[in-house]
Amino acid sequence: MAQLYFYYSAMNAGKSTALLQSSYNYQERGMRTLVYTAEIDDRFGAGKVSSRIGLSSPAALFNAQTRLDEEIAAEHARQPVHCVLVDECQFLTRDQVKALSDVVDNMDIPVLCYGLRTDFRGELFGGSQYLLAWADKLVELKTVCHCGRKAGMVLRLDAEGRPFSEGEQVVIGGNERYISVCRKHYKQAIEQGSLAAIYGQHKPA
């Protein structure tokens, strides 16, 4: 029986690498996969999922208006689809998460979603909220804070490299704008408005 999976983490935990490996595993066995990624995140080029270790794959784009179930059904009718993989799934809407659950339940196609659980304020993204509620399997992909603890929080940095916790939820960026930390150091960094609690006096090169 197909299932809906949610692989979640803070930033830089290897989500895209895991997605690409899963897709490759299916393809190596002669199975067809569909890969989606969020239209809003074009840091590595539109229509592509890329990992920090250099792997990449073409991907279809989704935005808030994309009818994922209809697109997947059309592709499946054209040529059987054996797995659907969604990168940046935190940007899915409630209706899109439901549509993906329908793909699993009505078409018997497994759907693997990869994304962030919470934003820079420590609050759930919309897509993540409904995946946590409705997914059959929840899998945490772990990364570590500079202190060695599990990093489950994400700090947003301003132009001067200072952490802050106000503003719009979605601002696309990489390591220059976001850093994954443990809960303790997230609190300290926000309270101090500085990364000194994490790095000490000198940020590593």
Side-chain angles (χ1 to χ4, degrees):
M1 295 291 292
Q3 293 186 314
L4 175 61
Y5 295 80
F6 180 28
Y7 295 87
Y8 65 90
S9 74
M11 291 189 68
N12 296 334
K15 295 182 295 297
S16 296
T17 302
L19 180 154
L20 293 168
Q21 181 65 59
S22 294
S23 182
Y24 176 80
N25 290 345
Y26 274 93
Q27 293 170 13
E28 191 178 34
R29 290 160 177 78
M31 298 179 177
R32 184 183 181 216
T33 63
L34 290 183
V35 177
Y36 280 91
T37 192
E39 183 178 282
I40 192 173
D41 189 353
D42 59 359
R43 286 173 294 158
F44 303 105
K48 184 167 63 172
V49 172
S50 297
S51 73
R52 290 177 295 123
I53 64 172
L55 303 175
S56 65
S57 169
L61 298 175
F62 73 86
N63 58 39
Q65 286 72 49
T66 304
R67 299 297 299 269
L68 290 168
D69 51 344
E70 294 179 4
E71 287 192 6
I72 294 166
E75 283 294 320
H76 188 57
R78 185 176 67 83
Q79 182 182 350
V81 174
H82 298 93
C83 183
V84 176
L85 304 100
V86 183
D87 198 27
E88 305 292 353
C89 64
Q90 68 269 16
F91 298 130
L92 293 167
T93 66
R94 179 187 187 278
D95 287 345
Q96 287 172 329
V97 175
K98 182 182 182 299
L100 290 173
S101 74
D102 290 341
V103 169
V104 173
D105 296 338
N106 301 333
M107 301 175 63
D108 200 30
I109 298 174
V111 176
L112 284 58
C113 297
Y114 297 78
L116 301 174
R117 180 178 58 172
T118 57
D119 63 16
F120 73 107
R121 299 168 297 187
E123 299 177 5
L124 291 171
F125 282 98
S128 304
Q129 175 184 348
Y130 292 104
L131 284 164
L132 286 168
W134 298 338
D136 299 296
K137 293 287 179 67
L138 303 174
V139 182
E140 184 176 20
L141 302 176
K142 297 180 177 65
T143 188
V144 295
C145 180
H146 289 273
C147 69
R149 294 186 182 93
K150 184 185 80 171
M153 308 288 287
V154 177
L155 286 168
R156 180 183 289 176
L157 309 178
D158 66 16
E160 284 72 45
R162 296 179 302 236
F164 65 102
S165 58
E166 300 294 335
E168 57 186 310
Q169 183 179 53
V170 178
V171 174
I172 301 301
N175 293 341
E176 81 290 347
R177 186 174 289 270
Y178 295 99
I179 178 174
S180 295
V181 294
C182 66
R183 184 178 61 239
K184 175 182 177 180
H185 283 127
Y186 175 88
K187 292 176 181 177
Q188 290 181 351
I190 293 300
E191 288 170 0
Q192 298 175 16
S194 166
L195 296 179
I198 302 168
Y199 295 127
Q201 296 302 311
H202 302 287
K203 183 175 179 178

